[in-house]
Amino acid sequence: MQEWTELEDACLRCEKCGLWTTRRNVVFGVGPRDADVMFIGEGPGELEDMRGEPFVGPAGKLLDDMLSIIDLSRENCYIANIVKCRPPRNRDPLEEEQEACIGYLRQQVKLIRPKIIVCLGRIAATRLIRPDFRITREHGKWTSKNGVWFMAMYHPSALLRDVSKRPESFDDLMSLRTMIRNIKAKI
Ligand code: URA
């Protein structure tokens, strides 16, 4: 198993897909490396590309607010993306870009060994839960894979565009809080 420095160095130098040619920074991921909960988005936007940190734009501000509702923060969960470099004009990451990049996330998951992975939006859910995952129908539902609990929520950008989805996301957050409590009770 690759260790953190080796993994991060390789990721920061990565040229496995075309996105390296337009990136300003690789957005590796942030948070404690022993976090119980990981949040996975799809890929960096403009501000994230500028700062080298995930979810620092408007969607990130909303994510921070959502985390604080259930007493989570960047101090106690790990935040990363399916692709580590910004797709031009914030388009969806292409299949081959996801394929080229997913190994870094898989190594991060192996090293962190989270108990819970929350997929933010369709791209993360179809990549990490099931290729035919339907976010509108299946958000908030739990699946266990290899000892890790997975759940998907609407992407914070979707919640900025369509506030009518927010009550459902609130319910998903409550469900996440319950799952975290149940897991802690078992430790
Ligand atoms: N959207 C994402 O999916 N990830 C980020 O880091 C920022 C916005």
Side-chain angles (χ1 to χ4, degrees):
M1 187 161 65
Q2 275 178 312
E3 290 304 325
W4 279 107
T5 24
E6 203 184 324
L7 177 64
E8 192 163 5
D9 283 354
C11 191
L12 297 186
R13 285 185 280 102
C14 184
E15 297 182 1
K16 285 191 194 171
C17 80
L19 294 181
W20 77 273
T21 59
T22 47
R23 75 175 174 228
R24 277 174 282 196
N25 284 293
V26 173
V27 180
F28 182 68
V30 290
R33 291 172 169 183
D34 60 353
D36 286 337
V37 186
M38 286 181 81
F39 287 85
I40 310 296
E42 62 182 65
E46 188 179 18
L47 279 169
E48 290 78 17
D49 177 51
M50 276 163 58
R51 301 239 319 247
E53 216 183 297
F55 285 99
V56 288
K61 170 81 184 71
L62 180 56
L63 178 61
D64 287 339
D65 292 346
M66 289 160 65
L67 297 181
S68 73
I69 292 174
I70 55 168
D71 297 321
L72 291 179
S73 71
R74 284 170 197 255
E75 316 278 286
N76 55 21
C77 53
Y78 196 90
I79 304 176
N81 283 302
I82 297 290
V83 297
K84 313 286 192 210
C85 297
R86 182 192 182 202
R89 296 174 308 283
N90 299 344
R91 62 159 170 73
D92 287 353
L94 304 175
E95 185 62 31
E96 65 254 34
E97 293 161 351
Q98 295 183 37
E99 206 47 59
C101 208
I102 196 72
Y104 297 119
L105 181 62
R106 292 205 193 290
Q107 286 299 326
Q108 286 172 304
V109 172
K110 275 195 187 145
L111 291 166
I112 294 170
R113 305 209 298 129
K115 311 242 173 355
I116 296 172
I117 295 181
V118 180
C119 300
L120 297 170
R122 175 182 58 85
I123 299 275
T126 52
R127 175 57 58 172
L128 299 180
I129 302 179
R130 255 192 10 261
D132 63 348
F133 190 90
R134 299 292 302 271
I135 191 85
T136 39
R137 266 194 241 142
E138 297 180 84
H139 68 86
K141 294 196 176 10
W142 290 97
T143 328
S144 167
K145 285 212 277 187
N146 305 321
V148 182
W149 284 104
F150 286 80
M151 187 255 262
M153 299 183 57
Y154 285 120
H155 193 286
S157 301
L159 300 175
L160 288 174
R161 282 193 304 270
D162 180 359
V163 291
S164 73
K165 290 189 165 77
R166 290 192 187 193
E168 291 170 78
S169 293
F170 184 80
D171 293 344
D172 296 347
L173 280 174
M174 294 301 113
S175 170
L176 173 57
R177 183 169 68 181
T178 304
M179 183 59 102
I180 293 170
R181 283 180 180 162
N182 288 344
I183 281 170
K184 290 226 163 100
K186 283 196 197 122
I187 296 172

